[in-house]
Amino acid sequence: MDVLVIAIPSEHPGGLDAALGQHFGHCDIYTIVEARDGKILAVRTLPNVPHQQGGCMAPVNHLAGNGVNVLIAGGMGLRPLMGFQQVGVQVFHGSGAPSVGHAVQAFLMGSLPAFSTEFTCGGGK
């Protein structure tokens, strides 16, 4: 199995113990987790890019350009969700997780739902 590169919007300072950022495009930092066969191989952080109103694709392209193929998010608008689908990044809903590490473990166990339009918000919050 290939290495999964998972991005999770995080509160500072990022890492597995950090709280999830509630909206992917407005977080300050992403925790990036590399995993294979259900095991975490590496953890690092990646700063977000500036997010201007209507500029939802900037974070999408930033993550895709950094090799991310899975995103675990608590909230996002429909436009970036569609953008992630277009660039081949799978998005999962992880808003109930108490930490980044818990969200990653839930994903690796297959218990996070795919992010669907029912989870989207109006953006800007």
Side-chain angles (χ1 to χ4, degrees):
M1 178 181 212
D2 291 335
V3 173
L4 294 173
V5 181
I6 307 162
I8 308 95
S10 307
E11 294 185 6
H12 265 293
L16 296 178
D17 294 330
L20 271 69
Q22 290 307 301
H23 193 286
F24 100 96
H26 295 281
C27 71
D28 292 326
I29 197 164
Y30 296 97
T31 298
I32 305 295
V33 175
E34 294 180 22
R36 179 188 292 136
D37 298 327
K39 293 186 170 58
I40 294 173
L41 305 174
V43 179
R44 61 185 166 89
T45 57
L46 178 68
N48 198 358
V49 292
H51 182 97
Q52 306 300 326
Q53 186 68 18
C56 315
M57 291 305 292
V60 171
N61 293 327
H62 178 57
L63 291 172
N66 278 279
V68 169
N69 47 30
V70 173
L71 175 74
I72 300 172
M76 78 174 60
L78 180 59
R79 189 167 161 211
L81 177 60
M82 291 170 47
F84 279 118
Q85 292 168 346
Q86 289 173 348
V87 298
V89 174
Q90 295 180 296
V91 183
F92 293 86
H93 192 251
S95 70
S99 71
V100 167
H102 283 91
V104 170
Q105 287 302 327
F107 168 75
L108 293 174
M109 293 185 314
S111 61
L112 288 185
F115 204 105
S116 65
T117 55
E118 70 187 71
F119 298 124
T120 59
C121 60
K125 297 282 180 234

